[in-house]
Every structure is written in structure tokens, then in C-alpha cells.
Amino acid sequence: MPENSLLDDAPWQKWRVQWPIRPDTVYLNHGSFGPPPRAVIAAQRNWQDELACQPMDFFVRTLEPAWIAARDRLARFLSADPEDLAFVENASAGMNVVADSFPLQAGDEVLFTDHEYGAVVRIWERACDKVGAWIITAQLPTQFNSVEEVVASIFVAATERTKIVVISHITSPTAVILPVVEICREAHRRGIAICIDGPHAPAQTSLAFDELDCDFYVASLHKWVSAPFGSGFIFVAPKWHSLIRTPLLCWGRVSPTKPVAWWDEFLWTGTRDPSAYLATTAALDLLEHEVGLEAFRTRTHALARYAREQIVSLTELEPPTADSSDWYGSMISCPLLPGDARELMRTLWEKHQIEIPVVEHNGNRSIRVSCHLYTNQQDIDYLVNCLKAELSRSVPLH
């Protein structure tokens, strides 16, 4: 489809109105907190009503088959074996499960990159502290143009003590799609396990577990899938099933059934509201069957590319990746001249009602633009005009 037609907002207006974004807000931060569309909100409320009207019937008779059906629907979306998946509240919850279950010993090393999410680092720091293991951080290239260079930059930091690599599928601070297939291949060639932190990947980029040979994968579904907040998943390869332990032990399966599979323990963790999990089906159906996954990706990538072009034209600073869908999808990060990131982010919201992250990472300042079905070209033009005005107040543009 020609780029110009992808930037035509008119055919996409019917989807824009499905998101109840506040009219005073230009929301360009789907990557942090992706709101659900009306159909998903309605689906979740239907489950909540069913729970509220007859909780005994819901928890004892309805929940288990509904949870399994939703999990199996997610497995089809991910080209995964359902037996390798379980719902968790978000990627952080899943990462806690992996870190608490993985058999680290004193002197072992966990390999990170310098683009990883801070909460994930904290999770593994605690796991390492318990046993006397260490986190080693590899430095990724400043420019992402070569898959081979990225893979080499990670594993140059690996040693014979490296037991697991923990890496993003799409980096949070820099919005880079990392070559996870090749990274997994190299990790396993060296006998190292790999855990992928993937909250930004489902829907934004291709993710098929029958092709991705990882050991663990965790993700949030409230981001690009636009499922309800509190929905995510953990993938565990079969060789690790017996080691997985949930930090929250409850009945698992409805009594008197006893847990047998590893994922049984995640099914019933007490009287929590599971409607977010069950409504993921509505989000997947909308993306796959109503919008079309390929249409979603091409439209949102075209918007992200347009945003990248306009910001680069303004700042004359090159982004960290080549201009290719291999390296970025529906979200882009563009560098800005040095300055107060927090203050600029505050000003864009309080003065212009633009919700967007301005990030400090590795001593550099950048702005991260997320594009979804409710985003249009006017939103991006407004951002660029406001950004131009605010940057001109502090430093010359050229």
C-alpha cells in the first residue's frame, strides 16, 4: 500500500472513535499505558457483571473453562502451544516468576544490555542478591544497522558463568526491535538460557513461538494488543515447566482437582477479578478479524515513520536505528539536544495537553512517540509544532 494512502486519516476515523480518549488529550503514550477500545471495555464489564451477580457460580463453574478458552485463543495468536502459556497480570509479574524460579547459584551471571527496563533490572538484582549471583551489562551499539553487530555486542560480555540472558524484544527507552531470533540462537549455541521481556512486541511486531526458540517470554497485553489493564502472559519452554513456581500459591485448580501442569497454579489465585484475562479475546478478535493485523502494523508504522521524519527535520539529529520496519514498528524514539527531560515532558502535558514520554537514557535525551489506531497525522503535526516552540525557548534548533 502506498505510503501516502497509509497517512490518509479518513479510512481510519471509524477506529479512532472506538477509543474513549479524553477530548482534552493528545495521547501519544500507548507504549506506557495503552488504553482499551470500547468493545474491550464492554467485554470486560460483561465478565465483571457475571462475577458480581453470582460469584459462586462464576468462580466454581465458569472461571476455569473460560480462563482456558481465553488462554487457548491467545496461544493461537502467538503460534504457541497452550501448555506453554499462562496468564499473569503484566510483564513485571511474569518476570518475577522467572527470576524467582530460575536456578541461580553463587557466582553465576545474568547478562543484560544497557537498554533494559529498570523494573526488570530490580527484579533480577533481588534474585541475584539472594544467592550471590551477579548482573553483567553489555553495551549495545549507538546505531542499530547490523543484526550481526547487535548480537556480537551482547555476547562479547558473556562468560562461562553466564547462565541466562535477559533482553527486551522491543526496548522501552529507545523503541528498538532487537533481533531476538538470532539472539536466542546464539545464546543456545553457547548453552545459555534466554528470557525475553516483550511487553511492546505482541501486535506491534511479528511474534510466533513456533519460530522463536526462547526459554521464557513475558509480556503485557494492555499495550499494543489493547487488552484491559492487568492482562499479560508468561511463556515457559517445556524443559523448564517443572521448575516454575508461582509466588502466589492458592488452589490453582478448582478443588478437588489437583494441579498437575505448571500453569494450573496460575489459574485460580484467590478471589481476584479475572475479567482482564477473559476480555483479551475481544481485543485479539478486534485486531485480527475486524482491523486486520497487517493493516494495523502498516498504518501505525507509517504514522511512526512520519513522526520520525518530522522530528528529525526539526532537530537534525539522527535516530538510533536505520529507517526500516526491521528496527522499529509502531513506536519511535528520536534524540533531542541536551536538556531537562522531565521538565519538557511536564510542559508538553500542562501547556499543550500532549501525553508523551521524554526519556533520559545513557546520558541522552529523547522523545518517544507511540502510534495506534486512534492516532492521526494531525496529532503528530500538533506535537511537532509544540515541540518546535518549546525547544526554541531553551536552545537554538540549528
Side-chain angles (χ1 to χ4, degrees), residues 116-131:
E116 301 312 315
Y117 192 54
V120 175
V121 177
R122 294 190 70 220
I123 290 165
W124 282 93
E125 282 177 340
R126 186 173 70 174
C128 289
D129 287 346
K130 285 182 181 179
V131 297

PDB file of all heavy atoms in Angstrom, residues 116-131:
ATOM      1  N   GLU A 116      17.840  -2.049  28.947  1.00  0.00           N
ATOM      2  CA  GLU A 116      16.754  -2.794  29.599  1.00  0.00           C
ATOM      3  C   GLU A 116      15.950  -1.914  30.557  1.00  0.00           C
ATOM      4  O   GLU A 116      16.423  -0.899  31.058  1.00  0.00           O
ATOM      5  CB  GLU A 116      17.314  -4.015  30.313  1.00  0.00           C
ATOM      6  CG  GLU A 116      18.052  -4.981  29.395  1.00  0.00           C
ATOM      7  CD  GLU A 116      17.277  -5.318  28.135  1.00  0.00           C
ATOM      8  OE1 GLU A 116      16.066  -5.583  28.216  1.00  0.00           O
ATOM      9  OE2 GLU A 116      17.888  -5.304  27.048  1.00  0.00           O
ATOM     10  N   TYR A 117      14.731  -2.372  30.803  1.00  0.00           N
ATOM     11  CA  TYR A 117      13.770  -1.661  31.637  1.00  0.00           C
ATOM     12  C   TYR A 117      14.187  -1.726  33.102  1.00  0.00           C
ATOM     13  O   TYR A 117      14.567  -2.785  33.614  1.00  0.00           O
ATOM     14  CB  TYR A 117      12.404  -2.307  31.447  1.00  0.00           C
ATOM     15  CG  TYR A 117      11.233  -1.556  32.006  1.00  0.00           C
ATOM     16  CD1 TYR A 117      10.992  -0.216  31.673  1.00  0.00           C
ATOM     17  CD2 TYR A 117      10.336  -2.188  32.853  1.00  0.00           C
ATOM     18  CE1 TYR A 117       9.902   0.458  32.173  1.00  0.00           C
ATOM     19  CE2 TYR A 117       9.226  -1.519  33.362  1.00  0.00           C
ATOM     20  CZ  TYR A 117       9.018  -0.195  33.017  1.00  0.00           C
ATOM     21  OH  TYR A 117       7.926   0.470  33.513  1.00  0.00           O
ATOM     22  N   GLY A 118      14.122  -0.589  33.790  1.00  0.00           N
ATOM     23  CA  GLY A 118      14.631  -0.507  35.152  1.00  0.00           C
ATOM     24  C   GLY A 118      13.983  -1.480  36.127  1.00  0.00           C
ATOM     25  O   GLY A 118      14.656  -2.054  36.990  1.00  0.00           O
ATOM     26  N   ALA A 119      12.672  -1.692  35.996  1.00  0.00           N
ATOM     27  CA  ALA A 119      11.992  -2.616  36.905  1.00  0.00           C
ATOM     28  C   ALA A 119      12.493  -4.041  36.725  1.00  0.00           C
ATOM     29  O   ALA A 119      12.597  -4.804  37.697  1.00  0.00           O
ATOM     30  CB  ALA A 119      10.480  -2.555  36.675  1.00  0.00           C
ATOM     31  N   VAL A 120      12.816  -4.412  35.497  1.00  0.00           N
ATOM     32  CA  VAL A 120      13.334  -5.759  35.228  1.00  0.00           C
ATOM     33  C   VAL A 120      14.710  -5.930  35.875  1.00  0.00           C
ATOM     34  O   VAL A 120      15.017  -6.979  36.458  1.00  0.00           O
ATOM     35  CB  VAL A 120      13.402  -6.025  33.713  1.00  0.00           C
ATOM     36  CG1 VAL A 120      14.057  -7.370  33.422  1.00  0.00           C
ATOM     37  CG2 VAL A 120      11.999  -5.980  33.113  1.00  0.00           C
ATOM     38  N   VAL A 121      15.525  -4.892  35.792  1.00  0.00           N
ATOM     39  CA  VAL A 121      16.838  -4.942  36.451  1.00  0.00           C
ATOM     40  C   VAL A 121      16.665  -5.153  37.951  1.00  0.00           C
ATOM     41  O   VAL A 121      17.348  -5.975  38.571  1.00  0.00           O
ATOM     42  CB  VAL A 121      17.634  -3.656  36.167  1.00  0.00           C
ATOM     43  CG1 VAL A 121      18.970  -3.679  36.917  1.00  0.00           C
ATOM     44  CG2 VAL A 121      17.870  -3.488  34.668  1.00  0.00           C
ATOM     45  N   ARG A 122      15.719  -4.434  38.564  1.00  0.00           N
ATOM     46  CA  ARG A 122      15.489  -4.568  40.009  1.00  0.00           C
ATOM     47  C   ARG A 122      15.064  -5.991  40.368  1.00  0.00           C
ATOM     48  O   ARG A 122      15.487  -6.539  41.390  1.00  0.00           O
ATOM     49  CB  ARG A 122      14.413  -3.579  40.465  1.00  0.00           C
ATOM     50  CG  ARG A 122      14.795  -2.120  40.365  1.00  0.00           C
ATOM     51  CD  ARG A 122      13.751  -1.258  41.061  1.00  0.00           C
ATOM     52  NE  ARG A 122      13.822  -1.447  42.508  1.00  0.00           N
ATOM     53  CZ  ARG A 122      12.751  -1.514  43.296  1.00  0.00           C
ATOM     54  NH1 ARG A 122      11.527  -1.462  42.788  1.00  0.00           N
ATOM     55  NH2 ARG A 122      12.898  -1.662  44.598  1.00  0.00           N
ATOM     56  N   ILE A 123      14.205  -6.574  39.543  1.00  0.00           N
ATOM     57  CA  ILE A 123      13.724  -7.936  39.815  1.00  0.00           C
ATOM     58  C   ILE A 123      14.888  -8.916  39.863  1.00  0.00           C
ATOM     59  O   ILE A 123      14.990  -9.759  40.768  1.00  0.00           O
ATOM     60  CB  ILE A 123      12.691  -8.351  38.745  1.00  0.00           C
ATOM     61  CG1 ILE A 123      11.396  -7.549  38.918  1.00  0.00           C
ATOM     62  CG2 ILE A 123      12.403  -9.853  38.806  1.00  0.00           C
ATOM     63  CD1 ILE A 123      10.466  -7.626  37.721  1.00  0.00           C
ATOM     64  N   TRP A 124      15.786  -8.807  38.893  1.00  0.00           N
ATOM     65  CA  TRP A 124      16.899  -9.753  38.837  1.00  0.00           C
ATOM     66  C   TRP A 124      17.991  -9.407  39.845  1.00  0.00           C
ATOM     67  O   TRP A 124      18.727 -10.293  40.299  1.00  0.00           O
ATOM     68  CB  TRP A 124      17.445  -9.831  37.416  1.00  0.00           C
ATOM     69  CG  TRP A 124      16.569 -10.680  36.559  1.00  0.00           C
ATOM     70  CD1 TRP A 124      15.544 -10.260  35.766  1.00  0.00           C
ATOM     71  CD2 TRP A 124      16.607 -12.104  36.444  1.00  0.00           C
ATOM     72  NE1 TRP A 124      14.934 -11.335  35.158  1.00  0.00           N
ATOM     73  CE2 TRP A 124      15.578 -12.476  35.552  1.00  0.00           C
ATOM     74  CE3 TRP A 124      17.407 -13.103  36.984  1.00  0.00           C
ATOM     75  CZ2 TRP A 124      15.328 -13.805  35.202  1.00  0.00           C
ATOM     76  CZ3 TRP A 124      17.170 -14.429  36.642  1.00  0.00           C
ATOM     77  CH2 TRP A 124      16.143 -14.763  35.762  1.00  0.00           C
ATOM     78  N   GLU A 125      18.116  -8.145  40.216  1.00  0.00           N
ATOM     79  CA  GLU A 125      19.062  -7.798  41.288  1.00  0.00           C
ATOM     80  C   GLU A 125      18.671  -8.500  42.580  1.00  0.00           C
ATOM     81  O   GLU A 125      19.540  -9.020  43.302  1.00  0.00           O
ATOM     82  CB  GLU A 125      19.076  -6.280  41.490  1.00  0.00           C
ATOM     83  CG  GLU A 125      19.877  -5.518  40.455  1.00  0.00           C
ATOM     84  CD  GLU A 125      19.817  -4.020  40.647  1.00  0.00           C
ATOM     85  OE1 GLU A 125      18.883  -3.534  41.324  1.00  0.00           O
ATOM     86  OE2 GLU A 125      20.686  -3.321  40.101  1.00  0.00           O
ATOM     87  N   ARG A 126      17.371  -8.533  42.880  1.00  0.00           N
ATOM     88  CA  ARG A 126      16.939  -9.202  44.092  1.00  0.00           C
ATOM     89  C   ARG A 126      17.201 -10.708  44.017  1.00  0.00           C
ATOM     90  O   ARG A 126      17.659 -11.316  44.995  1.00  0.00           O
ATOM     91  CB  ARG A 126      15.448  -8.944  44.334  1.00  0.00           C
ATOM     92  CG  ARG A 126      14.956  -9.504  45.662  1.00  0.00           C
ATOM     93  CD  ARG A 126      13.547  -9.091  45.969  1.00  0.00           C
ATOM     94  NE  ARG A 126      12.591  -9.740  45.074  1.00  0.00           N
ATOM     95  CZ  ARG A 126      11.271  -9.626  45.215  1.00  0.00           C
ATOM     96  NH1 ARG A 126      10.763  -8.863  46.173  1.00  0.00           N
ATOM     97  NH2 ARG A 126      10.446 -10.240  44.376  1.00  0.00           N
ATOM     98  N   ALA A 127      16.912 -11.297  42.844  1.00  0.00           N
ATOM     99  CA  ALA A 127      17.162 -12.732  42.684  1.00  0.00           C
ATOM    100  C   ALA A 127      18.652 -13.044  42.831  1.00  0.00           C
ATOM    101  O   ALA A 127      19.033 -14.053  43.445  1.00  0.00           O
ATOM    102  CB  ALA A 127      16.644 -13.201  41.327  1.00  0.00           C
ATOM    103  N   CYS A 128      19.500 -12.192  42.266  1.00  0.00           N
ATOM    104  CA  CYS A 128      20.949 -12.407  42.377  1.00  0.00           C
ATOM    105  C   CYS A 128      21.437 -12.231  43.807  1.00  0.00           C
ATOM    106  O   CYS A 128      22.281 -12.998  44.292  1.00  0.00           O
ATOM    107  CB  CYS A 128      21.692 -11.449  41.445  1.00  0.00           C
ATOM    108  SG  CYS A 128      21.522 -11.835  39.685  1.00  0.00           S
ATOM    109  N   ASP A 129      20.896 -11.213  44.487  1.00  0.00           N
ATOM    110  CA  ASP A 129      21.328 -10.944  45.860  1.00  0.00           C
ATOM    111  C   ASP A 129      21.036 -12.124  46.786  1.00  0.00           C
ATOM    112  O   ASP A 129      21.771 -12.369  47.750  1.00  0.00           O
ATOM    113  CB  ASP A 129      20.636  -9.685  46.391  1.00  0.00           C
ATOM    114  CG  ASP A 129      21.185  -8.413  45.766  1.00  0.00           C
ATOM    115  OD1 ASP A 129      22.257  -8.478  45.138  1.00  0.00           O
ATOM    116  OD2 ASP A 129      20.522  -7.363  45.893  1.00  0.00           O
ATOM    117  N   LYS A 130      19.979 -12.857  46.513  1.00  0.00           N
ATOM    118  CA  LYS A 130      19.599 -13.981  47.376  1.00  0.00           C
ATOM    119  C   LYS A 130      20.657 -15.072  47.397  1.00  0.00           C
ATOM    120  O   LYS A 130      20.836 -15.764  48.410  1.00  0.00           O
ATOM    121  CB  LYS A 130      18.273 -14.579  46.897  1.00  0.00           C
ATOM    122  CG  LYS A 130      17.038 -13.757  47.227  1.00  0.00           C
ATOM    123  CD  LYS A 130      15.796 -14.482  46.730  1.00  0.00           C
ATOM    124  CE  LYS A 130      14.534 -13.688  47.028  1.00  0.00           C
ATOM    125  NZ  LYS A 130      13.312 -14.382  46.520  1.00  0.00           N
ATOM    126  N   VAL A 131      21.357 -15.250  46.261  1.00  0.00           N
ATOM    127  CA  VAL A 131      22.269 -16.393  46.155  1.00  0.00           C
ATOM    128  C   VAL A 131      23.719 -15.994  45.928  1.00  0.00           C
ATOM    129  O   VAL A 131      24.600 -16.855  45.869  1.00  0.00           O
ATOM    130  CB  VAL A 131      21.807 -17.338  45.012  1.00  0.00           C
ATOM    131  CG1 VAL A 131      20.433 -17.905  45.315  1.00  0.00           C
ATOM    132  CG2 VAL A 131      21.825 -16.630  43.664  1.00  0.00           C
TER     133      VAL A 131
END
